[in-house]
Amino acid sequence: MATETERSVELTRTGKARFRATNVRGKTLDFGEGNDDDFTPIELLLAGIAGCSAIDVDYLVGKRVDPESFDVSIRADKIRDDLGNRLTNIRVSFDVTFPEGDDGDRAKESLPRAVAQSHDRLCTVTRTVIVGTPVESEVVAH
């Protein structure tokens, strides 16, 4: 049973190296190892980082005016070294256009601060990656 602060997702195998994630609201997302059009787990992690920060920034700068365009890209290098497989050099880029006028100018001026607030304090996904939270595994075999 989920608590107020707990977040959870259930996975069900749908084929060889293919899974369906289901959230507590019943929405599903299929993913796999990258042999088809579905997202891979690495792409989902990157989407989580970029998406979490994008939502934060949208709320913060959107208090002033809605942007005319708002695009976020994220990239990383996948490496294998003595620490195992992992991502390095993760970089999130914001490309935002605001309408002309005082509100747009104020929103544009607030953008760097909003991105920094998301990175340094607000985005749960980014903060979890940066802080380095341990992941425990449990096995139940039948």
Side-chain angles (χ1 to χ4, degrees):
M1 187 70 158
T3 65
E4 188 174 312
T5 59
E6 182 180 81
R7 304 296 186 264
S8 66
V9 172
E10 299 290 330
L11 299 184
T12 302
R13 184 178 187 267
T14 60
K16 182 70 172 174
R18 304 228 1 98
F19 292 86
R20 176 167 294 135
T22 305
N23 66 21
V24 295
R25 294 170 304 284
K27 183 70 176 173
T28 62
L29 173 73
D30 292 332
F31 66 95
E33 63 183 329
N35 293 336
D36 53 26
D37 293 340
D38 287 337
F39 280 83
T40 67
I42 291 172
E43 292 165 338
L44 292 172
L45 175 63
L46 294 175
I49 293 168
C52 179
S53 197
I55 290 168
D56 290 341
V57 171
D58 193 30
Y59 271 116
L60 293 169
V61 300
K63 292 176 183 178
R64 291 162 176 78
V65 66
D66 279 339
E68 291 179 346
S69 67
F70 191 117
D71 298 304
V72 181
S73 61
I74 185 167
R75 55 134 341 262
D77 297 320
K78 182 181 177 199
I79 66 167
R80 176 183 297 179
D81 62 11
D82 55 339
L83 297 175
N85 293 340
R86 59 193 178 95
L87 298 177
T88 63
N89 302 317
I90 301 170
R91 182 169 187 85
V92 183
S93 299
F94 288 80
D95 185 355
V96 186
T97 303
F98 297 100
E100 292 193 26
D102 290 343
D103 287 342
D105 291 344
R106 282 191 291 277
K108 184 177 180 179
E109 290 171 9
S110 72
L111 183 60
R113 183 170 186 263
V115 170
Q117 283 181 297
S118 177
H119 178 274
D120 297 341
R121 186 172 54 90
L122 299 175
C123 175
T124 304
V125 181
T126 297
R127 298 303 310 150
T128 301
V129 171
I130 290 172
V131 171
T133 302
V135 176
E136 297 179 23
S137 296
E138 175 184 31
V139 176
V140 178
H142 302 275

